[in-house]
Amino acid sequence: MKQLLSRNKVAVIATVGLALTSAISFASVSARTPTHDFTQADVDAIVAQIRQVPTDTFYIRLPTFSPRGGVNGSRLYGTLPLAYVRRMASVQHVALDEQSNIMGLVMDPNTEAGMASGEKSRRVALAIDAVLADVTPASYQFLR
């Protein structure tokens, strides 16, 4: 009889443990944010980041939104030459899509401003990575 009770306790503990593990796994999967297209909040967060570095150290295109909330075009930020972005894409073996919503952020280490903004540029790139984590990956290219 004692052995039967011991086996039942082990079975109950195992069942409760499995149920708890399943519940935790389900909760963590449910808590993840599904990817989405760019929103005005995403654009605002990225613009706030790129304002921290000199404009000649990046080239970035972001979508613009109509008052109704739909994408109605794009806006270019930064003055880094497009030729430099093309060269960076080639070096990284990336097929550059020059019409994508966010074409890229490239910190140019060959310019005086790029050298001066080194650590700040890395922090900006990491912050933008965090914003892009929930944006649909096929809707942008991010070159660094």
Side-chain angles (χ1 to χ4, degrees):
M1 184 76 166
K2 260 186 165 174
Q3 284 181 335
L4 185 58
L5 286 174
S6 291
R7 286 185 189 163
N8 283 343
K9 283 182 183 177
V10 169
V12 167
I13 290 171
T15 302
V16 168
L18 182 60
L20 184 59
T21 302
S22 296
I24 291 170
S25 295
F26 178 75
S28 70
V29 168
S30 298
R32 291 187 190 136
T33 305
T35 60
H36 59 270
D37 290 335
F38 275 97
T39 64
Q40 185 63 55
D42 298 326
V43 171
D44 293 344
I46 291 170
V47 169
Q49 291 302 317
I50 61 177
R51 285 189 176 143
Q52 298 179 45
V53 291
T55 59
D56 66 344
T57 63
F58 62 88
Y59 180 104
I60 189 167
R61 179 179 291 125
L62 296 169
T64 57
F65 296 88
S66 70
R68 291 181 164 177
V71 174
N72 65 359
S74 64
R75 180 174 174 200
L76 180 63
Y77 297 86
T79 60
L80 186 71
L82 180 57
Y84 187 83
V85 177
R86 288 181 184 135
R87 188 169 57 238
M88 287 299 296
S90 176
V91 167
Q92 295 176 22
H93 305 290
V94 173
L96 186 63
D97 177 5
E98 294 184 18
Q99 300 306 312
S100 66
N101 279 336
I102 178 171
M103 198 172 78
L105 170 76
V106 182
M107 302 303 172
D108 184 357
N110 300 316
T111 67
E112 194 172 315
M115 288 185 277
S117 68
E119 186 56 38
K120 187 177 279 191
S121 296
R122 281 188 281 283
R123 286 194 309 269
V124 167
L126 290 172
I128 291 174
D129 271 335
V131 172
L132 295 175
D134 294 331
V135 176
T136 306
S139 67
Y140 68 87
Q141 290 182 311
F142 188 49
L143 302 173
R144 292 183 269 159

